[in-house]
Amino acid sequence: MAKEQTFSIIKPNAVKKNVIGPILTIFEKNGLKVAAAKLTKIPKEKCEEFYAEHKARPFFSELVAFMTSGPVLLMVLSGENAIAKNREVMGATDPKKAAPGTIRALYADSMGENAVHGSDSPSSAEREIHLFFDKSEIVNL
Ligand code: CDP
Ligand code: MG
């Protein structure tokens, strides 16, 4: 296994529910460290760029509206096998299919409002991290 960085978002529904702490605890208990963090509202155009791969999907406009509806916590997470580890602790996209104890099983409200985002591959992680963070903002853990 190799040390990796991945990109994570605590989505507006989870920030609104005041569960940033419990979600970070799950990351930390699973060996993921916060290497950068920013609490912010994502501008619409940036959000459309971030989710560009989904542009043609029927849920795209609803997804962008939700993701720009309130503050989110943007993070770089660092750790052994961080990309796959993060996807594992997040749980499936559809919270009804998410394994018990995963972040989405615990804190998602629906398929769209599913509490967290996590990069799905090394190339996505690289692209997503640099869309939101300068190199100088990321701690070398
Ligand atoms: O976030 P993840 O990589 O698990 O799923 P995705 O297929 O990349 O979809 C991105 C996001 O779009 C999901 O996390 C959901 O918030 C949303 N989505 C949706 O609203 N309806 C779907 N049928 C699929 C995804
Ligand atoms: Mg995805």
Side-chain angles (χ1 to χ4, degrees):
M1 280 201 301
K3 182 91 78 60
E4 287 176 338
Q5 290 184 338
T6 191
F7 180 66
S8 167
I9 305 178
I10 299 184
K11 295 186 178 185
N13 68 307
V15 172
K16 207 171 289 171
K17 284 199 281 196
N18 216 18
V19 291
I20 290 175
I23 292 173
L24 292 185
T25 299
I26 293 172
F27 290 144
E28 291 182 342
K29 281 190 175 154
N30 284 277
L32 296 168
K33 295 183 173 188
V34 178
K38 236 179 247 184
L39 186 78
T40 188
K41 239 176 113 169
I42 306 175
K44 184 165 180 264
E45 276 182 16
K46 188 107 169 176
C47 192
E48 288 171 346
E49 185 184 355
F50 173 66
Y51 276 129
E53 65 171 313
H54 297 305
K55 207 164 181 122
R57 309 281 289 277
F59 58 82
F60 182 73
S61 58
E62 200 183 330
L63 175 62
V64 171
F66 162 59
M67 289 298 289
T68 57
S69 68
V72 294
L73 187 66
L74 308 173
M75 285 179 287
V76 177
L77 300 177
S78 169
E80 291 295 319
N81 214 13
I83 297 165
K85 175 56 73 181
N86 184 34
R87 295 290 300 192
E88 183 190 319
V89 301
M90 284 165 58
T93 308
D94 179 352
K96 292 193 211 95
K97 294 181 185 149
T102 58
I103 295 168
R104 283 168 165 169
L106 290 166
Y107 302 117
D109 293 300
S110 63
M111 173 85 122
E113 303 200 6
N114 58 2
V116 280
H117 165 84
S119 308
D120 63 7
S121 67
S123 60
S124 300
E126 178 77 11
R127 183 186 80 86
E128 294 172 359
I129 286 170
H130 295 295
L131 203 51
F132 290 102
F133 289 98
D134 285 336
K135 262 207 169 76
S136 63
E137 295 175 304
I138 305 169
V139 173
N140 198 6
L141 291 168

